[in-house]
Protein backbone atom coordinates (compact mmCIF):
# COMPACT_ATOMS: atom_id res chain seq x y z
CA UNK A 1 0.00 0.00 0.00
CA UNK A 2 1.23 3.52 -0.78
CA UNK A 3 2.37 5.99 1.84
CA UNK A 4 -0.32 8.44 0.70
CA UNK A 5 -3.02 5.87 1.49
CA UNK A 6 -1.60 5.47 4.98
CA UNK A 7 -1.57 9.22 5.49
CA UNK A 8 -5.23 9.42 4.45
CA UNK A 9 -6.25 6.65 6.86
CA UNK A 10 -7.02 6.87 10.57
CA UNK A 11 -3.72 6.05 12.27
CA UNK A 12 -4.16 3.59 15.14
CA UNK A 13 -1.10 3.35 17.35
CA UNK A 14 -2.90 2.11 20.47
CA UNK A 15 -6.46 1.12 21.30
CA UNK A 16 -8.22 0.96 24.65
CA UNK A 17 -11.90 0.48 25.52
CA UNK A 18 -13.80 -0.53 28.68
CA UNK A 19 -13.42 -4.15 27.50
CA UNK A 20 -9.67 -4.12 26.92
CA UNK A 21 -8.85 -5.62 30.33
CA UNK A 22 -11.91 -7.89 30.49
CA UNK A 23 -10.92 -11.53 29.83
CA UNK A 24 -12.65 -13.78 27.35
CA UNK A 25 -15.81 -15.13 29.01
CA UNK A 26 -18.45 -17.58 27.88
CA UNK A 27 -22.00 -18.18 29.02
CA UNK A 28 -24.42 -20.71 27.63
CA UNK A 29 -25.69 -18.43 24.87
CA UNK A 30 -23.56 -15.28 25.08
CA UNK A 31 -19.80 -14.83 25.19
CA UNK A 32 -16.98 -12.30 24.99
CA UNK A 33 -14.17 -13.39 22.70
CA UNK A 34 -10.77 -11.90 21.93
CA UNK A 35 -8.99 -11.47 18.62
CA UNK A 36 -6.01 -9.55 17.29
CA UNK A 37 -6.01 -6.98 14.52
CA UNK A 38 -2.62 -7.32 12.88
CA UNK A 39 -0.77 -4.46 11.28
CA UNK A 40 -2.64 -3.29 8.22
CA UNK A 41 -5.73 -1.57 6.84
CA UNK A 42 -9.27 -2.06 8.14
CA UNK A 43 -12.67 -0.73 7.11
CA UNK A 44 -13.59 2.45 9.00
CA UNK A 45 -16.89 3.45 7.26
CA UNK A 46 -16.01 7.17 7.35
CA UNK A 47 -15.84 7.24 11.15
CA UNK A 48 -13.73 10.29 12.09
CA UNK A 49 -13.81 11.14 8.37
CA UNK A 50 -11.78 8.14 7.20
CA UNK A 51 -12.78 5.23 4.97
CA UNK A 52 -9.95 3.12 6.35
CA UNK A 53 -7.99 2.79 9.56
CA UNK A 54 -4.35 1.76 9.59
CA UNK A 55 -3.26 -0.33 12.56
CA UNK A 56 0.43 0.35 13.04
CA UNK A 57 1.02 -2.48 15.49
CA UNK A 58 -1.23 -5.36 16.62
CA UNK A 59 -4.16 -4.49 18.88
CA UNK A 60 -6.50 -6.78 20.80
CA UNK A 61 -10.24 -6.32 20.30
CA UNK A 62 -13.23 -7.86 22.10
CA UNK A 63 -16.33 -9.27 20.41
CA UNK A 64 -19.79 -9.93 21.78
CA UNK A 65 -21.08 -13.19 20.30
CA UNK A 66 -24.38 -15.05 20.61
CA UNK A 67 -25.02 -18.72 19.91
CA UNK A 68 -27.59 -19.34 17.18
CA UNK A 69 -30.04 -22.22 17.07
CA UNK A 70 -27.69 -24.15 14.78
CA UNK A 71 -24.95 -23.94 17.43
CA UNK A 72 -22.85 -21.42 15.49
CA UNK A 73 -21.55 -18.34 17.30
CA UNK A 74 -22.45 -15.06 15.61
CA UNK A 75 -20.73 -11.75 16.36
CA UNK A 76 -23.09 -8.91 17.31
CA UNK A 77 -20.54 -6.22 18.07
CA UNK A 78 -16.81 -5.65 18.33
CA UNK A 79 -14.99 -2.86 20.19
CA UNK A 80 -12.55 -2.16 17.36
CA UNK A 81 -11.54 1.45 16.56
CA UNK A 82 -14.38 1.92 14.06
CA UNK A 83 -17.12 0.91 16.49
CA UNK A 84 -15.63 2.50 19.61
CA UNK A 85 -14.97 5.86 17.95
CA UNK A 86 -18.16 5.68 15.90
CA UNK A 87 -20.30 5.25 18.99
CA UNK A 88 -18.54 8.27 20.44
CA UNK A 89 -19.54 10.29 17.39
CA UNK A 90 -23.18 9.27 17.77
CA UNK A 91 -23.14 10.22 21.46
CA UNK A 92 -21.83 13.70 20.61
CA UNK A 93 -24.61 14.19 18.05
CA UNK A 94 -27.41 13.43 20.51
CA UNK A 95 -29.51 16.42 21.59
CA UNK A 96 -29.51 17.40 25.27
CA UNK A 97 -32.23 15.69 27.28
CA UNK A 98 -33.60 12.16 26.97
CA UNK A 99 -32.10 9.49 24.71
CA UNK A 100 -33.72 6.29 23.46
CA UNK A 101 -31.19 3.57 22.60
CA UNK A 102 -32.37 0.68 20.43
CA UNK A 103 -30.11 -2.35 20.85
CA UNK A 104 -27.61 -2.70 23.71
CA UNK A 105 -24.81 -4.72 22.15
CA UNK A 106 -21.70 -4.27 24.29
CA UNK A 107 -22.98 -0.96 25.63
CA UNK A 108 -20.17 1.02 24.02
CA UNK A 109 -22.57 3.88 23.30
CA UNK A 110 -23.56 4.12 26.96
CA UNK A 111 -19.95 4.69 28.01
CA UNK A 112 -19.89 7.76 25.76
CA UNK A 113 -23.37 9.06 26.59
CA UNK A 114 -22.80 9.14 30.37
CA UNK A 115 -19.89 11.56 29.86
CA UNK A 116 -22.46 14.20 28.89
CA UNK A 117 -23.99 16.05 31.82
CA UNK A 118 -26.78 17.41 29.61
CA UNK A 119 -28.22 13.93 28.99
CA UNK A 120 -31.00 13.44 31.56
CA UNK A 121 -32.19 9.89 30.83
CA UNK A 122 -31.02 6.96 28.70
CA UNK A 123 -33.66 4.31 27.99
CA UNK A 124 -32.22 1.16 26.41
CA UNK A 125 -34.61 -1.19 24.59
CA UNK A 126 -33.03 -4.65 24.15
CA UNK A 127 -34.89 -7.74 23.02
CA UNK A 128 -32.52 -10.28 24.61
CA UNK A 129 -32.45 -10.31 28.44
CA UNK A 130 -29.42 -12.63 28.38
CA UNK A 131 -27.36 -9.92 26.71
CA UNK A 132 -28.38 -7.36 29.33
CA UNK A 133 -27.44 -9.74 32.15
CA UNK A 134 -24.16 -10.76 30.55
CA UNK A 135 -22.77 -7.29 29.78
CA UNK A 136 -24.22 -5.46 32.81
CA UNK A 137 -21.03 -5.84 34.90
CA UNK A 138 -19.11 -3.91 32.22
CA UNK A 139 -21.57 -1.05 31.75
CA UNK A 140 -21.22 2.37 33.40
CA UNK A 141 -22.94 2.68 36.76
CA UNK A 142 -25.27 5.60 36.19
CA UNK A 143 -28.80 6.18 37.49
CA UNK A 144 -29.81 7.77 34.20
CA UNK A 145 -29.62 4.39 32.42
CA UNK A 146 -32.86 2.39 32.38
CA UNK A 147 -33.46 -0.93 30.59
CA UNK A 148 -36.59 -2.24 28.96
CA UNK A 149 -36.68 -5.79 27.60
CA UNK A 150 -38.67 -5.97 24.39
CA UNK A 151 -38.92 -5.58 20.66
CA UNK A 152 -38.04 -2.05 19.56
CA UNK A 153 -40.72 -1.98 16.85
CA UNK A 154 -43.41 -3.02 19.34
CA UNK A 155 -42.07 -0.43 21.77
CA UNK A 156 -42.47 2.31 19.14
CA UNK A 157 -46.11 1.44 18.45
CA UNK A 158 -46.96 1.35 22.17
CA UNK A 159 -44.91 4.32 23.32
CA UNK A 160 -46.28 7.77 23.91
CA UNK A 161 -43.52 9.67 25.70
CA UNK A 162 -41.24 12.07 23.88
CA UNK A 163 -37.48 11.63 23.51
CA UNK A 164 -35.03 14.20 22.23
CA UNK A 165 -32.92 11.61 20.41
CA UNK A 166 -33.20 7.99 19.27
CA UNK A 167 -29.98 6.10 18.52
CA UNK A 168 -30.63 2.83 16.71
CA UNK A 169 -28.20 -0.07 16.22
CA UNK A 170 -30.18 -3.24 15.55
CA UNK A 171 -28.65 -4.81 12.44
CA UNK A 172 -25.58 -6.93 11.75
CA UNK A 173 -24.11 -7.04 8.26
CA UNK A 174 -20.69 -8.23 7.11
CA UNK A 175 -18.79 -8.92 3.91
CA UNK A 176 -20.62 -12.23 3.45
CA UNK A 177 -24.11 -10.72 3.74
CA UNK A 178 -26.23 -11.35 0.65
CA UNK A 179 -27.96 -8.70 -1.44
CA UNK A 180 -31.33 -9.85 -0.10
CA UNK A 181 -30.10 -9.52 3.49
CA UNK A 182 -28.86 -6.01 2.80
CA UNK A 183 -32.17 -5.07 1.19
CA UNK A 184 -34.09 -6.37 4.22
CA UNK A 185 -31.87 -4.39 6.56
CA UNK A 186 -32.34 -1.24 4.46
CA UNK A 187 -36.11 -1.65 4.59
CA UNK A 188 -35.99 -2.31 8.33
CA UNK A 189 -33.91 0.84 8.86
CA UNK A 190 -36.51 2.89 7.00
CA UNK A 191 -39.30 1.52 9.20
CA UNK A 192 -37.30 2.16 12.38
CA UNK A 193 -36.61 5.75 11.36
CA UNK A 194 -40.26 6.38 10.46
CA UNK A 195 -41.50 4.99 13.77
CA UNK A 196 -38.90 6.87 15.81
CA UNK A 197 -39.68 10.15 14.07
CA UNK A 198 -43.15 10.00 15.60
CA UNK A 199 -41.82 10.81 19.08
CA UNK A 200 -38.14 11.79 18.70
CA UNK A 201 -36.75 15.09 17.50
CA UNK A 202 -33.59 13.48 16.14
CA UNK A 203 -32.98 9.93 14.89
CA UNK A 204 -29.45 8.55 14.50
CA UNK A 205 -28.86 5.15 12.90
CA UNK A 206 -25.55 3.30 13.08
CA UNK A 207 -24.27 2.65 9.57
CA UNK A 208 -26.10 5.61 8.03
CA UNK A 209 -23.80 8.58 7.52
CA UNK A 210 -24.90 12.17 7.04
CA UNK A 211 -26.96 12.51 10.20
Amino acid sequence: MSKSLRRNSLQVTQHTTPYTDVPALSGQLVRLSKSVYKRGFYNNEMVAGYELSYVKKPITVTSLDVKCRDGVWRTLMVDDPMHWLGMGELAKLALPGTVLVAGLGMGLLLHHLVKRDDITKILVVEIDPEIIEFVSPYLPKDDRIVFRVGNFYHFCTEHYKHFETAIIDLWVLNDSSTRQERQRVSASMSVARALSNEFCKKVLIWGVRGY
Side-chain angles (χ1 to χ4, degrees):
M1 292 289 184
S2 67
K3 291 183 179 179
S4 62
L5 183 57
R6 291 185 187 180
R7 285 196 299 269
N8 292 317
S9 302
L10 176 67
Q11 303 295 297
V12 181
T13 56
Q14 60 181 2
H15 179 61
T16 303
T17 79
Y19 285 91
T20 299
D21 296 327
V22 177
L25 300 166
S26 185
Q28 186 174 0
L29 298 174
V30 187
R31 73 179 184 186
L32 292 175
S33 59
K34 298 286 183 174
S35 60
V36 175
Y37 279 20
K38 298 179 180 180
R39 181 181 178 184
F41 290 94
Y42 294 85
N43 185 25
N44 208 57
E45 294 187 8
M46 295 309 297
V47 168
Y50 295 97
E51 271 191 50
L52 298 173
S53 61
Y54 181 71
V55 175
K56 291 189 172 183
K57 57 183 180 179
I59 60 173
T60 299
V61 299
T62 307
S63 299
L64 174 69
D65 312 315
V66 296
K67 183 179 280 189
C68 301
R69 293 179 180 177
D70 58 5
V72 176
W73 288 95
R74 179 190 184 201
T75 297
L76 289 186
M77 179 174 271
V78 59
D79 70 342
D80 60 8
M82 179 181 77
H83 289 88
W84 175 241
L85 297 176
M87 289 298 167
E89 287 186 344
L90 288 179
K92 289 178 181 178
L93 290 170
L95 298 174
T98 54
V99 178
L100 172 64
V101 175
L104 173 60
M106 299 173 75
L108 301 181
L109 177 62
L110 303 184
H111 286 279
H112 293 290
L113 284 173
V114 297
K115 296 175 183 177
R116 291 187 48 179
D117 294 335
D118 59 350
I119 299 296
T120 57
K121 181 180 179 180
I122 305 166
L123 176 61
V124 182
V125 179
E126 168 58 48
I127 197 170
D128 191 340
E130 298 236 9
I131 289 179
I132 297 175
E133 182 179 359
F134 193 84
V135 304
S136 285
Y138 317 110
L139 300 179
K141 310 305 178 187
D142 194 298
D143 292 338
R144 292 173 293 174
I145 300 174
V146 179
F147 294 98
R148 176 164 174 175
V149 178
N151 183 297
F152 175 69
Y153 296 95
H154 295 167
F155 174 84
C156 288
T157 58
E158 299 166 358
H159 194 70
Y160 60 89
K161 291 185 179 178
H162 175 79
F163 287 85
E164 302 301 324
T165 308
I167 303 178
I168 307 172
D169 182 17
L170 297 174
W171 307 278
V172 179
L173 290 174
N174 52 47
D175 292 339
S176 63
S177 297
T178 66
R179 181 179 179 182
Q180 286 183 331
E181 288 172 334
R182 295 179 184 276
Q183 288 175 337
R184 285 197 295 268
V185 165
S186 179
S188 182
M189 284 182 176
S190 297
V191 172
R193 181 182 291 277
L195 289 171
S196 303
N197 277 331
E198 293 295 318
F199 56 89
C200 297
K201 286 185 179 179
K202 190 173 190 178
V203 180
L204 306 171
I205 299 179
W206 172 259
V208 179
R209 311 306 296 176
Y211 307 108

